[in-house]
Amino acid sequence: MRNWYDIDTIDEVDSPSLVLYEERLNFNLGKMLEMVNDDPSKLMPHIKTNKTAEVIRQMVNLGIKRFKASTIAEAELAAREGADSVLVAHQLVGPKINRFIALIQHFPTTKFAVIIDNTHSLLALEKEAMNSKVSIDVYIDINNGMDRTGIEIGQGLNELIDQIKTSNTFKFKGLHVYDGQFRDPDYDDRHARVEGAMQQVLKLYEDLKNESKELELVCGGTPTFSSHLFHAYRICSPGTCVFWDWGYDEKLSEQNFQYAVLIVTRIISKPTEGIITIDLGHKSVGSENPIDKRVKFLNLSNYRLKSQSEEHGVLEVDNWDDLKVGEVLFGVPFHICPTVNLHDAFSVISNGKKVDQWQIAGRQRKITI
């Protein structure tokens, strides 16, 4: 029986490497749009997962033209593919400020914005923007309980808002909230926690909207996508769902996305009975999680990933006699985002055959700017 992930031209695919199943990617993009009632204005997808021109181009062709990025390189990639706007959702420091200004100057048809959560960053950005005679769109990053970035709601926030409003350099675009701490497997529990944490933010947003109707509220990532999408005024920023992974498949059962990217690895040794070694070390798969939460193999059962080094993965297996050196294994990463960042390209699979190769250009720290 043929499996959905089988590749007729597997001899053309090196290992370890990533394979992207085009039909499944298209399904996920369609599902993402379907979840917002085919209204692309509700979406500002994060491109930190895919980092790939062809994937961004497909979204643009579907009418999704606003994006979120973590790096200047990702933002440049989106602009090159025709993005109307890009929010760099990673507060700018050091040389990144001038690189961001260069983006504005090099891509005049794309509107770029940044997040800010403190006066020091605001003044540093304002100084360089004034020197370059550019204006900058700004979203205030709100700390909604994750305690990673953002400013808490209170007096300091009011002062920051006032500084932005009185500046001739900035245009206040709205609020940005990332609530990645909410990953409860039970959707009702997760939804309740998301909405509970949003109450203060919503009050602030409504107060600000009374002064400016154009202000936006950019919310969440993939885990909270299925909560924020119900509210017409919230712009959603899913990213992982474009490719999907084992980690979110376990937790987010209400989101019916498909695995669109797998890792191809091969058995390179059978050093002793019950043990096989594959060419999948921690340089090829996201390794920030415990070893039993890094990769799940689709065509291998009763195994345990025992250890990993830079280029090797060692597995204990039950069917050692049945396995052969050179045999291909297909794995689902637990966390697809850092895994993609470890590879240069995808082999693109359509109808069971390798049809193309797409460069993961956004993994570079710098493209041209």
Side-chain angles (χ1 to χ4, degrees), residues 95-288:
K96 290 185 179 68
I97 293 175
N98 284 323
R99 291 178 66 196
F100 178 78
I101 291 171
L103 278 177
I104 295 173
Q105 295 169 329
H106 279 75
F107 297 97
T109 60
T110 300
K111 289 290 290 181
F112 294 96
V114 294
I115 60 168
I116 290 287
D117 71 5
N118 70 93
T119 298
H120 178 80
S121 293
L122 188 74
L123 293 176
L125 185 60
E126 184 176 46
K127 177 183 175 183
E128 298 303 329
M130 290 176 65
N131 289 340
S132 301
K133 296 181 173 58
V134 300
S135 62
I136 295 178
D137 291 347
V138 173
Y139 291 78
I140 293 180
D141 189 28
I142 301 295
N143 181 358
N144 201 25
M146 191 174 185
D147 297 338
R148 186 174 72 178
T149 66
I151 184 170
E152 294 181 330
I153 294 176
Q155 184 61 36
L157 173 58
N158 296 332
E159 293 172 359
L160 186 61
I161 292 171
D162 289 340
Q163 282 185 285
I164 294 171
K165 287 181 176 178
T166 57
S167 171
N168 294 322
T169 302
F170 299 121
K171 182 177 180 181
F172 184 30
K173 293 291 291 181
L175 305 178
H176 172 267
V177 180
Y178 181 68
D179 45 14
Q181 71 271 32
F182 300 124
R183 303 185 180 199
D184 309 64
D186 184 277
Y187 170 72
D188 291 335
D189 289 346
R190 184 181 350 121
H191 181 69
R193 294 182 68 200
V194 169
E195 294 306 310
M198 284 294 294
Q199 293 311 301
Q200 272 192 301
V201 179
L202 296 177
K203 184 180 184 306
L204 171 65
Y205 178 65
E206 291 302 326
D207 290 343
L208 293 170
K209 283 274 283 186
N210 290 332
E211 300 176 29
S212 174
K213 301 296 183 186
E214 296 181 355
L215 291 182
E216 296 180 327
L217 182 58
V218 181
C219 298
T222 298
T224 57
F225 178 33
S226 40
S227 289
H228 293 304
L229 62 83
F230 291 111
H231 303 270
Y233 53 87
R234 300 186 198 179
I235 298 171
C236 304
S237 296
T240 302
C241 62
V242 170
F243 288 163
W244 210 229
D245 60 24
W246 170 28
Y248 280 171
D249 197 60
E250 276 193 339
K251 293 181 176 72
L252 312 179
S253 58
E254 82 282 358
Q255 296 190 23
N256 298 312
F257 293 99
Q258 298 179 349
Y259 298 139
V261 171
L262 300 180
I263 297 177
V264 168
T265 182
R266 286 179 171 87
I267 300 171
I268 60 170
S269 183
K270 297 174 66 178
T272 189
E273 187 170 352
I275 297 293
I276 63 170
T277 302
I278 57 176
D279 56 0
L280 186 70
H282 50 65
K283 283 184 174 178
S284 301
V285 64
S287 301
E288 77 275 27

Side-chain angles (χ1 to χ4, degrees), residues 59-111:
M59 287 192 270
V60 169
N61 290 339
L62 290 170
I64 304 168
K65 297 184 178 182
R66 304 182 69 195
F67 299 95
K68 207 157 85 169
S70 289
T71 68
I72 300 296
E74 291 169 2
E76 179 178 346
L77 192 65
R80 289 177 178 277
E81 294 306 319
D84 285 346
S85 66
V86 183
L87 170 59
V88 179
H90 200 275
Q91 191 157 250
L92 303 176
V93 292
K96 290 185 179 68
I97 293 175
N98 284 323
R99 291 178 66 196
F100 178 78
I101 291 171
L103 278 177
I104 295 173
Q105 295 169 329
H106 279 75
F107 297 97
T109 60
T110 300
K111 289 290 290 181

Side-chain angles (χ1 to χ4, degrees), residues 4-64:
W4 67 262
Y5 49 81
D6 287 337
I7 301 172
D8 298 332
T9 54
I10 191 62
D11 288 344
E12 298 176 16
V13 179
D14 203 352
S15 60
S17 68
L18 298 180
V19 289
L20 186 156
Y21 295 82
E22 196 164 16
E23 290 83 4
R24 287 180 156 242
L25 168 65
N26 293 336
F27 174 88
N28 289 345
L29 296 179
K31 174 62 67 174
M32 185 169 63
L33 270 169
E34 178 188 308
M35 289 172 70
V36 293
N37 296 316
D38 293 316
D39 180 4
S41 69
K42 282 275 295 171
L43 292 170
M44 189 186 284
H46 208 312
I47 60 174
K48 70 180 179 64
T49 301
N50 70 78
K51 300 178 182 288
T52 304
E54 289 83 354
V55 177
I56 297 168
R57 191 180 308 153
Q58 290 197 30
M59 287 192 270
V60 169
N61 290 339
L62 290 170
I64 304 168

Side-chain angles (χ1 to χ4, degrees), residues 290-308:
I291 196 163
D292 61 339
K293 288 290 188 180
R294 294 182 184 176
V295 61
K296 177 175 69 173
F297 295 107
L298 299 179
N299 59 332
L300 187 66
S301 57
N302 299 320
Y303 67 88
R304 181 175 74 90
L305 184 56
K306 181 180 178 183
S307 67
Q308 275 188 305

